[in-house]
């Protein structure tokens, strides 16, 4: 059946197009990394994500919020309820006291992660008008995904001699225009890992990327596991239905 | 008894209802014994698939709407909350978002099937036009749905597309302000889009009903494009096509599930995970993939009004196809030249799809122009002229003859339209 064959090819072409479209968009390409969470069976490397949480809290949290995430979400990367309670309790979040006056109280696991700035204007005022974006879905909000974030964090370097950087701008190989308002957040030994892992820039960049990939898609492992079951079930149903179809049609052909 | 329908159902409850409101008789007639050409191929699944898809969209949409907040300051966050806090909210949203893409894949194939086998020809012209109306309604619905998550592409897509109306002389700017409910895309726009996004799918259900009602008057076309001549050419819809459609639905669900569970954002645009910001214009504003061919046509014309007219014309011309195509033969199987040109048209659409996603410069503009030119040439010149000159291959005498000739199997014919009623009602 000519139509069916060619139509199938056309459908594949249609599916392939967005890739082509995105590839053409940015001049930047991001060398791909191996991620524990990629592929249909990928899961988050718990140890890396926990280290990444440490990097986020000790470094990125000074400037970036992850306002859609809750402290309880840390359960998904292997922290116990006790640990989460302690982490939350160490953070003061805005609240209202009995007289209706603004106050602060220790956070609970059910609270959203606290944001470093009360609002966008306050953040922009600090960074010459640049805005450190919320990182809750940053992995999904960049066409290059995890590879883009990793390379950005590890991509700081000396600017080429002929390049004039703007005021308060830093050279980065993996940022559009190669000038970014974020000072290099990572440097060797910037954090001290409890598990003894050496805190190189690349290591921290990998870890925090893993953590933010989890924060962007906390449902990912459940989704993929369910997906495997659903697809296997549907393949089985296709077989059964096709057999039934053959049987019903047996008297026609 | 006077006034009661004579029901043939035995079950007393069904009989009681059916005598007063013969919906069971109707279902039996339209979906049970309905005489259907016996030679459908799997391309005839796509109508049923579109039906299933519409139901999925409405079902997931209603549950999304329970948790969604149509307000410029809250819409983005409420979608994230659906993804994180609503039980299986991520599933609802990913099914709905990818369901939009699946819907267009299915409907585009359904439409191409119609073009290939000449399903729009007398007596199915109105059926075809209702199909074009469905396509337009789907586009309006999907466009407004894409605005709801209020990301950067939502906002800027809405801005670019609504701005097209400003191309109309004199009234253009008034129309745009009226559409927006203000002087830019803003909360008022989001609210009306939500309201209409909820409404239009139900209008769609109504038009789909008419589409199917018209189908059941004329009966289906088939891969040979020749009319049914008698019961030997048909099979009762049930069980033959209920089971064949079920096979198609299973395969369709596999493709759907692969997208939803393993690549839920593959067909989307990363920028739509950035909250809408009227002060920052994205580097490239692109619509959803299923609008890219039309977007390419729009941008292939240097003049804004011309582009807008051509874009709407590209759908309008579809509605005229029953009269533009002058060939008496329906199926491309028996039209050696049309058969090739059909694939040239598909290629032109594929080229437009690719060009729509590229920046409008250099080679992409040239390619869009060539493909746009072919698109209109195909419908406005080739179809009318070809019908007069093309020499069709000899048509088979009847469907049953053709089927038996290549199927090889003899065997007793099941009684066609006169076959047994459904075992259970
Ligand atoms: C013809 C059927 C429909 C189509 C083609 C359609 C299409 C879409 C699309 C493309 C989106 C954007 C998805 C995203 O990127 O997040 C969307 C969102 C949405 N739709 Fe629909 N839709 C349909 C029916 C419905 C119905 C019947 C309802 C409600 C009863 C509904 C409610 C919503 C809501 C609340 C959203 C926002 C949530 C979100 O963005 O995920 N939709 N729709």
């Amino acid at each position: 059946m000519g139509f069916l064959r060619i139509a199938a090819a056309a459908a594949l072409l249609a599916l392939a197009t967005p890739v082509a479209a995105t590839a053409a968009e940015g001049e930047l390409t991001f060398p791909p990394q191996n991620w524990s969470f990629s592929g249909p069976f990928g899961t988050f490397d718990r140890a890396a994500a926990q280290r990444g949480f440490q990097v986020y809290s000790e470094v990125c949290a000074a400037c970036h919020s992850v306002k859609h995430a809750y402290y309880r979400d840390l359960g998904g990367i292997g922290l116990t309820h006790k640990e989460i309670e302690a982490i939350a309790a160490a953070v003061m979040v805005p609240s209202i006291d009995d007289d209706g006056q603004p106050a602060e109280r220790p956070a609970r696991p059910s609270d959203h992660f606290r944001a470093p700035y009360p609002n966008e204007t306050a953040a922009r005022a600090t960074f010459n008008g640049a805005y450190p974006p919320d990182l809750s879905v940053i992995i999904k909000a960049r066409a290059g995904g995890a590879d883009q974030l990793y390379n950005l964090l590890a991509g700081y370097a000396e600017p080429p001699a002929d390049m004039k950087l703007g005021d308060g701008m830093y050279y980065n190989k993996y940022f559009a225009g190669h000038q970014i308002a974020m000072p290099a957040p990572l440097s060797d030994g910037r954090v001290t890992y409890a598990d003894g892992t050496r805190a190189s820039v690349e290591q921290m960049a990998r870890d925090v990327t893993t953590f933010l990939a989890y924060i962007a898609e906390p449902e990912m492992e459940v989704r993929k596991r369910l997906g495997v079951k659903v697809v296997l079930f549907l393949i089985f149903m296709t077989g059964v239905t096709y057999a039934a179809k053959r049987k019903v049609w047996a008297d026609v052909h | 008894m006077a006034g009661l329908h004579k029901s043939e159902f035995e079950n007393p409850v069904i009989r009681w209802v059916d005598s007063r409101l013969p919906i069971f008789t109707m279902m039996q007639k339209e979906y049970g014994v309905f005489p259907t050409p016996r030679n459908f191929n799997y391309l005839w699944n796509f109508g049923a698939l579109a039906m299933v898809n519409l139901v999925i969209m409405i079902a997931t949409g209603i549950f999304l709407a329970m948790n969604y907040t149509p307000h410029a300051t809250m819409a983005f966050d409420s979608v994230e909350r659906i993804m994180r806090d609503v039980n299986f909210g991520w599933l609802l949203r990913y099914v709905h978002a990818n369901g939009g893409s699946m819907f267009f894949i299915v409907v585009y194939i359904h439409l191409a099937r119609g073009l290939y086998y000449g399903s729009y020809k007398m007596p199915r012209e109105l059926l075809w036009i209702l199909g074009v109306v469905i396509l337009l309604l789907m586009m309006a619905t999907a466009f407004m749905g894409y605005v709801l998550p209020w990301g950067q592409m939502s906002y800027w897509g809405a801005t670019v597309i609504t701005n097209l109306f400003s191309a109309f002389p004199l009234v253009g700017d008034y129309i745009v302000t009226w559409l927006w409910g203000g002087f830019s895309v803003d909360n008022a726009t989001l609210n009306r889009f939500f309201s209409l996004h909820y409404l239009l799918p139900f209008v769609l259900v109504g038009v789909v009903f008419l589409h199917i009602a018209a189908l059941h008057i004329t009966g289906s076309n088939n891969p040979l494009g020749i009319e049914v001549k008698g019961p030997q050419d048909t099979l009762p819809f049930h069980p033959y096509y209920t089971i064949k459609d079920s096979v198609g639905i299973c395969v369709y669900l596999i493709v759907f599930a692969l997208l939803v569970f393993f690549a839920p954002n593959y067909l989307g645009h990363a920028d739509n995970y950035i909250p809408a910001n009227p002060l920052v214009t994205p580097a490239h504003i692109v619509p959803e993939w299923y609008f890219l061919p039309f977007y390419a046509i729009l941008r292939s014309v240097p003049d804004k009004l011309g582009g807008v007219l051509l874009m709407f014309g590209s759908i309008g011309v579809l509605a005229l196809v029953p009269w533009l195509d002058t060939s008496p033969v329906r199926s491309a199987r028996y039209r050696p030249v049309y058969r090739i040109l059909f694939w040239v048209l598909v290629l032109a659409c594929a080229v437009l799809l690719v060009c729509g996603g590229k920046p409008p410069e250099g080679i992409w503009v040239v390619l869009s122009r060539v493909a746009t030119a072919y698109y209109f040439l195909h419908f406005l010149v080739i179809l009318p002229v070809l019908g007069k000159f093309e020499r069709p291959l000899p048509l088979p005498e009847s469907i049953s003859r053709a089927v038996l000739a290549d199927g090889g199997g003899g065997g007793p014919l099941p009684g066609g339209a006169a076959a047994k009623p459904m075992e259970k009602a």
Side-chain angles (χ1 to χ4, degrees), chain B residues 218-263:
Chain B
T218 61
S220 301
N221 186 27
N222 64 80
L224 299 177
I226 56 179
E227 284 300 324
V228 164
K229 300 235 164 60
Q232 70 283 2
D233 288 347
T234 67
L235 294 168
F237 191 82
H238 182 77
Y240 293 97
Y241 287 110
T242 41
I243 190 71
K244 192 162 178 175
D245 280 345
S246 302
V247 176
I249 289 170
C250 285
V251 175
Y252 151 87
L253 287 177
I254 291 179
V255 177
F256 201 160
L258 287 174
L259 270 177
V260 165
F261 290 103
F262 299 106

Side-chain angles (χ1 to χ4, degrees), chain B residues 94-179:
Chain B
Y94 280 157
V95 168
H96 196 78
N98 287 288
S101 288
M102 290 298 291
F103 208 176
F104 279 91
I105 293 175
V106 164
V107 166
Y108 285 155
I109 295 177
H110 187 64
L111 194 158
R113 187 279 316 258
L115 284 177
Y116 189 82
Y117 295 108
S119 302
Y120 46 83
K121 289 187 191 179
M122 162 72 194
R124 298 185 184 81
E125 305 95 321
L126 189 55
L127 172 59
W128 173 262
I129 290 175
L130 286 167
V132 177
V133 173
I134 289 173
L135 180 63
L136 279 171
L137 281 171
M138 269 177 67
M139 291 178 149
T141 307
F143 165 64
M144 290 192 270
Y146 193 58
V147 176
L148 302 185
W150 211 239
Q152 275 290 68
M153 278 302 160
S154 298
Y155 181 89
W156 289 98
T159 302
V160 169
I161 301 301
T162 47
N163 249 322
L164 294 179
F165 290 91
S166 70
F168 292 105
L170 300 177
V171 291
D173 288 331
Y174 293 102
I175 296 181
V176 175
T177 308
W178 178 74
L179 285 176

Side-chain angles (χ1 to χ4, degrees), chain B residues 253-308:
Chain B
L253 287 177
I254 291 179
V255 177
F256 201 160
L258 287 174
L259 270 177
V260 165
F261 290 103
F262 299 106
N265 295 306
Y266 177 66
L267 294 170
H269 197 293
D271 281 24
N272 227 27
Y273 280 103
I274 304 172
N277 184 348
L279 302 176
V280 179
T281 319
H284 299 288
I285 302 174
V286 283
E288 290 271 79
W289 71 265
Y290 37 80
F291 292 135
L292 290 178
F294 303 98
Y295 198 50
I297 292 179
L298 170 78
R299 297 191 305 179
S300 71
V301 187
D303 174 64
K304 188 169 174 189
L305 181 59
V308 172

Side-chain angles (χ1 to χ4, degrees), chain B residues 333-373:
Chain B
R333 271 196 202 172
Y334 303 103
R335 299 186 59 187
V337 183
Y338 177 71
R339 180 147 124 200
I340 296 166
L341 294 177
F342 168 85
W343 288 111
V344 178
L345 177 70
V346 172
L347 180 70
C349 292
V351 168
L352 287 171
L353 183 88
V354 174
C355 292
K358 306 284 183 190
E361 52 199 33
I363 181 75
W364 303 116
V365 179
V366 181
L367 281 174
S368 326
R369 289 194 179 148
V370 172
T372 303

Side-chain angles (χ1 to χ4, degrees), chain B residues 54 57-58 61-62 64-65 68 79 82 93 96-97 100 103-104 138 141-142 145-146 148-149 194 197-198 201-202 204 272 288 290:
Chain B
L54 180 59
M57 294 312 282
I58 291 180
I62 287 175
L64 283 173
Y68 168 79
V79 171
I82 290 172
R93 166 150 189 263
H96 196 78
F103 208 176
F104 279 91
M138 269 177 67
T141 307
Y146 193 58
L148 302 185
F194 179 52
H197 184 69
Y198 208 135
F202 295 92
L204 208 45
N272 227 27
E288 290 271 79
Y290 37 80

Side-chain angles (χ1 to χ4, degrees), chain A residues 179-194:
Chain A
Q179 293 197 52
I180 186 166
M182 167 166 71
L186 303 173
S187 54
D188 284 337
R190 176 71 179 74
V191 302
T192 309
Y193 284 137

